[in-house]
Amino acid sequence: MSNKIIIANFKMNLSSKEEAIDLCQYYQQKDKELPNVDFIAAPDFLWLEDVVKLGVATSSQDCFFEDSGAFTGEISPMILKNLGVQYCIIGHSERRRLGDTDEIINKKIKAVVKNGLIPILCVGETLEQKQSGQKEEVLKNQITKALDNIPPSTLYSLVVAYEPVWAIGTGLAEDPEEAEKTMEFILNLTKQIITEAEIKIIYGGSVDAVNIGNFVSKNIIQGALVGGSSLKKEEFAKILEIANSLNK
Ligand code: PGA
């Protein structure tokens, strides 16, 4: 059985490098004692290099779709790769809300895989879409557009994070049985489009130490993308421990 992956997405919540390093070192130590779980840190861009130097697996929280050029303020996937970053979150709902369209997300995925980074593609429906019975249609649209025309030779590994928008940062996690069903739908669809790569599907949205076990005990759910709880040392350490213990 492969290791579950638990990603700490600090978002823009920390105010100093010291805080980010302190959390990452703490989780790294914990993770060393836990053979069945892999910890990945997604700190602010500015601290990625320092976290890489700790020997922690890292993800950037986003990137641009060009490697270089006149793009003031953007972050190059090529530079991320050169820094030793391994993953890149693409299409987080907080980025979609700020203007990342399906077309932009597709371009970012292509740029990321071209540089040998592993994309963590985030998909999820809003509460309105769920209540009006559009969930599967929305997810299908997001996935097919994000993965359109990706050269199979460039994509060897993909993580899909199912994050219902209404569950992010609200304390209202999706019901694990419902998440499992939705994630089966996502995985089947993704496998039809991406036939060659290793695909992992993880859950995100108000994950905490109380509910993590209900998600990762399901075979299909290969880990979690954790926001708020990743800022709380003991809580996140517990999440790692539980994910480890249920993956034997
Ligand atoms: P949350 O965030 O755990 O605070 O809900 C998850 C995410 O946005 O990735």
Side-chain angles (χ1 to χ4, degrees):
M1 185 173 280
S2 66
N3 278 10
K4 302 269 174 178
I5 55 174
I6 304 290
I7 307 170
N9 177 13
F10 295 156
K11 310 192 180 184
M12 207 175 69
N13 283 314
L14 299 175
S15 50
S16 73
K17 181 168 90 181
E18 288 67 33
E19 285 173 85
I21 296 293
D22 181 52
L23 288 175
C24 286
Q25 278 180 321
Y26 190 76
Y27 302 152
Q28 181 185 33
Q29 282 314 316
K30 222 346 107 194
D31 191 39
K32 280 186 180 154
E33 301 158 16
L34 306 170
N36 307 321
V37 71
D38 292 332
F39 161 58
I40 299 168
D44 195 284
F45 286 117
L46 297 169
W47 311 320
L48 272 168
E49 191 169 10
D50 297 272
V51 178
V52 167
K53 282 185 184 150
L54 294 177
V56 170
T58 51
S59 173
S60 90
Q61 296 179 13
D62 186 33
C63 75
F64 192 50
F65 50 74
E66 296 286 350
D67 286 349
S68 63
F71 303 107
T72 303
E74 293 292 353
I75 305 285
S76 154
M78 184 182 71
I79 293 177
L80 291 172
K81 178 67 181 176
N82 291 343
L83 283 182
V85 173
Q86 288 156 269
Y87 297 84
C88 182
I89 298 173
I90 304 284
H92 193 285
S93 68
E94 288 155 15
R95 301 265 8 130
R96 291 180 191 258
R97 201 173 62 213
L98 291 171
D100 274 17
T101 60
D102 289 317
E103 193 195 348
I104 291 173
I105 289 163
N106 178 248
K107 283 186 179 176
K108 288 184 175 182
I109 301 251
K110 285 179 178 153
V112 157
V113 298
K114 191 184 87 187
N115 283 288
L117 293 159
I118 300 174
I120 301 168
L121 168 65
C122 297
V123 296
E125 81 288 353
T126 63
L127 189 57
E128 208 185 357
Q129 289 163 340
K130 180 183 161 87
Q131 285 171 342
S132 59
Q134 290 172 278
K135 178 167 73 177
E136 294 200 346
E137 192 190 319
V138 167
L139 293 172
K140 188 173 175 193
N141 197 39
Q142 288 177 350
I143 292 163
T144 47
K145 289 191 172 153
L147 299 176
D148 183 44
N149 215 4
I150 309 267
S153 58
T154 58
L155 185 60
Y156 62 94
S157 190
L158 170 73
V159 180
V160 182
Y162 171 53
E163 298 204 302
V165 177
W166 50 270
I168 297 175
T170 57
L172 299 169
E174 175 58 291
D175 169 68
E177 271 66 47
E178 184 67 26
E180 182 183 33
K181 265 192 253 157
T182 308
M183 290 166 79
E184 270 164 13
F185 169 79
I186 292 172
L187 189 61
N188 288 337
L189 177 67
T190 308
K191 279 184 177 162
Q192 282 166 30
I193 305 168
I194 303 292
T195 48
E196 316 250 319
E198 181 209 16
I199 302 165
K200 281 196 171 198
I201 182 155
I202 63 176
Y203 171 80
S206 295
V207 168
D208 59 25
V210 174
N211 63 27
I212 182 72
N214 298 331
F215 290 105
V216 292
S217 56
K218 312 221 174 290
N219 273 344
I220 192 171
I221 306 185
Q222 309 232 283
L225 179 52
V226 185
S229 298
S230 72
L231 304 167
K232 302 176 195 157
K233 259 188 182 173
E234 296 310 326
E235 179 95 16
F236 191 77
K238 199 110 212 146
I239 290 174
L240 290 172
E241 274 171 23
I242 295 168
N244 178 70
S245 67
L246 290 174
N247 191 34
K248 279 185 181 146

